[in-house]
């Protein structure tokens, strides 16, 4: 006999039972309200995800006069199209934010950078995650006019009182790579640094100079312009580093494709990695596991950045008190063959 039982949407009580809390606590955790510890909040979210539970966002939105929709916007560079979805960091950030929003019963709408000002001001949204704020950011200025909660992905170059942001710990990310390279024997570590008007390259440079000063090691920096073609510009910058006398024994890049650019520049100069040069970069690109040789990377954990940004945005929407409005996510080192010390052979 065939079963006539179909799937039933889990109830608030079922989630509460699995998490070992009250239904009120479940509601507070998923709505970003109430005074809960982060451990309790995460336990409820995990239970809801395991059961496939999500609040009825449409009904809730109608009841409280909101839309149940969050926006995710990317900064703009005039009319220049930026293929954000093709850049691993932003793709993973968006997916992480989308999953976090859905877990909490919200929809997440990603908004193209080509929207007109009228659309930025009138799209139905409860709040916005703005990715990559710049010094003179036209998107941020428009969003502020709306008076809705905004969480920045990345520290604003000129932060204002009350600004909220989630960012990766760039200082720790760079130090993870620098310490790893010194353990492999590097003593002249070069840095390929983009010129940009967001805070990322400035934080990286400060961390690098401080690290070199602490260890009395030379600071070897070559800058390059990111527009219009950062691939060619970075390769030229790395070539300048590698033709110094004495040349660096390691080079770090800080953009998604930097590892590929450094490998290409090394090949052009007939330098073998890792025998002649150690190579590492900050990137989410999984292709580095299969390059020749595989390249050591540090991940900024954009999935966690997206999750934290959604959690903070919902807290602001619900006016939750006692919330840390400025959060950082710890990076993770992935060591590969490009930074393996090459054992010296003794002549027979």
């Amino acid at each position: 006999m065939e079963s006539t039982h179909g799937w039933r949407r889990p109830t608030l009580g079922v989630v509460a039972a699995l998490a070992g809390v009250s239904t009120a606590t479940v509601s507070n955790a998923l709505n970003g309200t109430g005074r809960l510890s982060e451990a309790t909040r995460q336990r409820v979210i995990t239970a809801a995800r395991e059961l496939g539970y999500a609040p009825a966002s449409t009904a809730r939105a109608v009841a409280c006069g909101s839309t149940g929709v969050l926006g995710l916007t990317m900064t703009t560079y005039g009319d220049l199209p930026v293929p954000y979805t093709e850049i691993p960091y932003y793709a993973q950030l968006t997916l992480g934010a989308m999953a976090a929003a859905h877990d909490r019963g919200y929809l997440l709408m990603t908004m193209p950078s080509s929207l007109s000002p009228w659309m930025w001001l009138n799209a139905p949204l409860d709040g916005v995650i703005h990715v990559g704020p710049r010094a003179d950011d036209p998107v941020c200025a428009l969003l502020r006019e709306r008076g809705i909660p905004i969480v920045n992905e990345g520290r604003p170059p000129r932060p204002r009182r009350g600004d909220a942001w989630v960012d990766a710990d760039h200082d720790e990310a760079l130090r993870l790579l620098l310490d790893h390279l010194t353990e492999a024997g590097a003593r002249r570590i070069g840095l390929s640094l983009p010129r940009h008007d967001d805070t990322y390259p400035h934080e990286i440079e400060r961390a690098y100079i401080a690290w070199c000063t602490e260890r009395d090691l030379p600071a070897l920096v070559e800058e390059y312009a990111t527009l219009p073609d950062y691939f060619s510009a970075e390769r030229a910058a790395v070539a300048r580093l590698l033709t110094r006398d004495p040349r660096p024994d390691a080079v770090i890049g800080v953009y998604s494709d930097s590892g590929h650019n450094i490998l290409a520049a090394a090949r052009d100069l007939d330098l073998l990695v890792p025998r002649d040069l150690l190579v590492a970069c900050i990137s989410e690109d999984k292709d580095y596991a299969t390059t020749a040789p595989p390249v050591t990377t540090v991940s900024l954990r954009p999935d966690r950045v997206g999750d934290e940004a959604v959690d903070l945005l919902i807290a602001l929407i619900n006016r939750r008190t006692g919330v840390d409005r400025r959060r950082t996510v710890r990076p993770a080192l992935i060591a590969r063959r490009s930074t393996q010390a090459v054992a010296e052979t003794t002549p027979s």
Side-chain angles (χ1 to χ4, degrees):
M1 183 176 177
E2 292 184 3
S3 172
T4 59
H5 295 290
W7 181 84
R8 292 184 178 179
R9 183 174 178 273
T11 65
L12 206 66
V14 173
V15 178
L18 181 60
V21 297
S22 68
T23 55
T25 298
V26 172
S27 180
N28 286 333
L30 297 179
N31 293 333
T33 56
R35 293 188 176 184
L36 305 178
S37 70
E38 284 307 306
T40 299
R41 196 179 302 280
Q42 289 304 317
R43 190 164 76 249
V44 171
I45 291 170
T46 300
R49 183 183 295 123
E50 182 178 329
L51 291 167
Y53 174 87
S57 58
T58 302
R60 183 187 63 199
V62 170
C64 64
S66 62
T67 67
V69 180
L70 309 178
L72 187 144
T73 68
M74 305 286 184
T75 194
T76 60
Y77 298 88
D79 295 327
L80 184 71
V82 179
Y84 285 107
T85 57
E86 298 175 17
I87 301 172
Y89 178 88
Y90 297 110
Q92 293 178 35
L93 170 76
T94 301
L95 289 174
M98 189 177 296
H102 293 174
D103 284 343
R104 292 157 175 83
Y106 281 83
L107 300 179
L108 182 79
M109 179 170 67
T110 58
M111 305 174 71
S113 58
S114 59
L115 281 180
S116 69
W118 186 90
M119 288 296 295
W120 286 115
L121 292 170
N122 291 280
L125 301 167
D126 290 342
V128 172
I129 298 166
H130 181 50
V131 178
R134 298 168 54 210
D136 296 306
D137 196 314
V139 179
C140 236
L142 285 167
L143 291 174
R144 285 196 186 101
E145 288 186 39
R146 295 193 60 166
I148 61 174
I150 303 171
V151 171
N152 290 292
E153 176 282 323
R155 184 189 305 261
R158 292 193 283 266
R160 301 183 178 194
R161 180 183 177 89
D163 277 354
W165 71 74
V166 178
D167 206 0
D169 190 332
H170 301 138
D171 185 286
E172 183 178 358
L174 191 69
R175 286 174 177 270
L176 280 172
L177 285 181
L178 290 165
D179 290 343
H180 175 71
L181 288 167
T182 54
E183 288 170 7
R187 293 297 178 268
R188 290 180 53 81
I189 304 173
L191 176 67
S192 171
L193 187 71
R195 289 196 301 271
H196 206 288
D197 67 346
D198 65 16
T199 59
Y200 177 58
H202 302 292
E203 290 180 355
I204 290 291
E205 184 175 27
R206 281 195 296 269
Y208 174 76
I209 297 297
W211 184 92
C212 291
T213 301
E214 290 165 9
R215 289 158 181 77
D216 197 24
L217 293 175
L220 310 173
V221 180
E222 280 290 345
E223 293 186 328
Y224 60 92
T226 56
L227 299 175
D229 176 13
Y230 107 74
F231 298 92
S232 299
E234 182 169 32
R235 289 186 189 185
V238 175
R240 292 194 298 272
L241 271 173
L242 297 180
T243 51
R244 293 190 183 194
D245 184 20
R247 69 169 168 78
D249 50 17
V251 175
I252 290 174
V254 299
Y255 269 0
S256 183
D257 290 301
S258 291
H260 300 295
N261 294 334
I262 298 168
L263 289 178
R267 284 195 300 269
D268 290 343
L269 295 169
D270 295 323
L271 298 174
L272 295 179
V273 178
R275 190 195 69 183
D276 303 319
L277 181 73
L278 304 183
V279 174
C281 66
I282 299 174
S283 179
E284 312 305 321
D285 189 347
K286 291 181 171 54
D287 285 349
Y288 286 123
T290 58
T291 52
V295 172
T296 290
T297 59
V298 159
S299 168
L300 298 178
R301 299 298 311 279
D303 56 327
R304 291 289 308 134
V305 173
D307 186 289
E308 287 286 345
V310 167
D311 182 76
L312 178 54
L313 183 58
I314 293 174
L316 299 182
I317 290 168
N318 289 286
R319 297 182 174 86
R320 201 169 87 214
T321 59
V323 174
D324 183 1
R325 300 170 67 95
R326 300 175 179 184
R327 306 181 183 184
T328 55
V329 171
R330 298 194 66 181
L333 175 71
I334 305 167
R336 299 190 178 102
R337 196 156 59 83
S338 70
T339 56
Q340 284 184 359
V342 178
E344 294 184 5
T345 56
T346 304
S348 57

